[in-house]
Amino acid sequence: MLKLLSGGALSTVRAALVEARRATTEVMNGSDPSDMFNRWLSWAATQRVLLRGLISEDDIDRLITSRLYWSLFGSNSNYIDGRTLSTTVQNEVLTRQAALDGELRTFDSDSRTWGRGDALAIVPDTSVFVAMGAGFADAEWHNLLGERPSVRLYVVVTMAAVVELDGKKLSRDKTDHGELVRTQVRAALKRIEEMFYSNSARHAYEERGGFQQTTIALLTDDLGHVPLETPDAEMVRRGLDILPYAGRSKLISYDLNQTFRARAAGLESSRLKYDYETETA
């Protein structure tokens, strides 16, 4: 998933990626190897400026300014064999074209998956799965969160939550509470497995119809994704990652500290209340 910053709308980011891809053809039109080399350096520097503020620096380096760019930056092309220089630039440009083509396909897929900026993605933390068990998928989320029925809503299951649930199901707590937690956790994991395990889609999801449009989605991590140190922080980050694609993103938790953590990071949050908190004397 391309990490989008707050500098522009989805259409702005896509237009910048399309322009970066189009401009690569001008590099290949160089009159000689040295001209191609200079055009490539100019292309990379220009696209870096245009994409800054729209996507992360890591993504810019991955798509535009590769290791080869930085290793040759500032080099005098007159000291490099013309044939070698021409082949090197052509291969690099072809690699950048393939990377941008692939990223555009992924970007379009992610935009469709998460509502094209006109939806609400909610990210339940582990406390929600423990409290609701398998019922998280059937909860009336619009009512719980006070959202209009017309709001397109995505319930996002993060890999950080799945990992933490897997750990909790092996808890050795012998108390009644410990047994209840394990039961709820196993029920939630079973429901997640039933919905998503056999689905090979990049972001598998199960859609629920009716007037209240709700999609239960599994947000998988790319192979190179490095999670943050704690699951709580990772869930907040994934909520922020989805935010530009969905339009709105909100972390849901029963724990007050987690909702504060989300708000401090710039993410909406809602704290659900346990039954005992709503009971009247």
Side-chain angles (χ1 to χ4, degrees):
M1 176 180 282
L2 194 65
K3 183 174 178 56
L4 307 185
L5 305 182
S6 58
L10 293 177
S11 59
T12 304
V13 175
R14 193 182 194 286
L17 293 173
V18 169
E19 171 57 22
R21 173 61 174 85
R22 184 206 62 77
T24 58
T25 59
E26 298 176 1
V27 177
M28 301 296 244
N29 292 333
S31 58
D32 55 59
S34 181
D35 185 36
M36 288 179 61
F37 177 75
N38 290 327
R39 284 176 179 236
W40 167 51
L41 294 182
S42 176
W43 168 83
T46 299
Q47 300 310 318
R48 185 174 182 84
V49 170
L50 294 176
L51 288 168
R52 184 173 292 145
L54 298 178
I55 64 177
S56 70
E57 290 289 325
D58 286 344
D59 283 325
I60 292 175
D61 282 338
R62 178 172 59 85
L63 295 171
I64 307 296
T65 45
S66 64
R67 290 182 180 179
L68 181 63
Y69 169 84
W70 290 116
S71 66
L72 293 178
F73 181 78
S75 299
N76 189 333
S77 60
N78 294 325
Y79 294 103
I80 305 176
D81 173 71
R83 185 174 180 179
T84 300
L85 186 62
S86 176
T87 301
T88 299
V89 173
Q90 288 183 31
N91 287 340
E92 174 64 8
V93 171
L94 289 173
T95 300
R96 295 304 102 222
Q97 289 177 339
L100 287 164
D101 287 341
E103 196 59 57
L104 277 165
R105 288 192 295 270
T106 300
F107 179 80
D108 288 342
S109 174
D110 287 340
S111 297
R112 289 191 302 269
T113 297
W114 303 113
R116 299 181 187 274
D118 191 30
L120 169 61
I122 65 170
V123 182
D125 77 347
T126 310
S127 69
V128 175
F129 295 104
V130 171
M132 293 187 174
F136 79 90
D138 303 311
E140 296 295 336
W141 286 106
H142 288 81
N143 296 336
L144 283 172
L145 301 176
E147 295 290 339
R148 300 186 310 276
S150 59
V151 171
R152 181 70 181 176
L153 196 148
Y154 290 81
V155 181
V156 183
V157 181
T158 64
M159 294 308 299
V162 173
V163 169
E164 194 167 30
L165 289 171
D166 272 331
K168 287 183 176 295
K169 76 179 181 183
L170 301 176
S171 168
R172 296 185 179 183
D173 185 348
K174 301 299 183 182
T175 65
D176 290 343
H177 174 72
E179 182 58 38
L180 176 61
V181 168
R182 284 192 295 274
T183 298
Q184 290 288 86
V185 164
R186 288 166 181 161
L189 286 171
K190 182 179 179 181
R191 187 66 181 274
I192 292 170
E193 182 177 12
E194 289 172 349
M195 287 191 293
F196 303 122
Y197 187 72
S198 62
N199 193 325
S200 60
R202 185 166 174 269
H203 298 299
Y205 65 93
E206 177 176 283
E207 195 160 351
R208 290 169 50 192
F211 184 54
Q212 295 182 346
Q213 294 296 305
T214 303
T215 298
I216 314 297
L218 177 66
L219 178 57
T220 55
D221 294 336
D222 295 331
L223 188 60
H225 178 78
V226 179
L228 296 180
E229 185 174 350
T230 67
D232 284 349
E234 176 67 9
M235 287 177 230
V236 171
R237 181 172 75 171
R238 296 305 266 159
L240 290 170
D241 288 344
I242 297 173
L243 175 58
Y245 293 94
R248 290 178 60 201
S249 183
K250 179 182 291 190
L251 183 123
I252 311 300
S253 178
Y254 280 90
D255 297 333
L256 187 60
N257 68 317
Q258 179 70 331
T259 60
F260 284 157
R261 178 182 287 108
R263 292 183 184 185
L267 184 66
E268 285 187 66
S269 66
S270 288
R271 189 177 83 85
L272 302 181
K273 294 185 177 181
Y274 292 104
D275 290 341
Y276 72 83
E277 294 182 273
T278 58
E279 291 176 354
T280 56

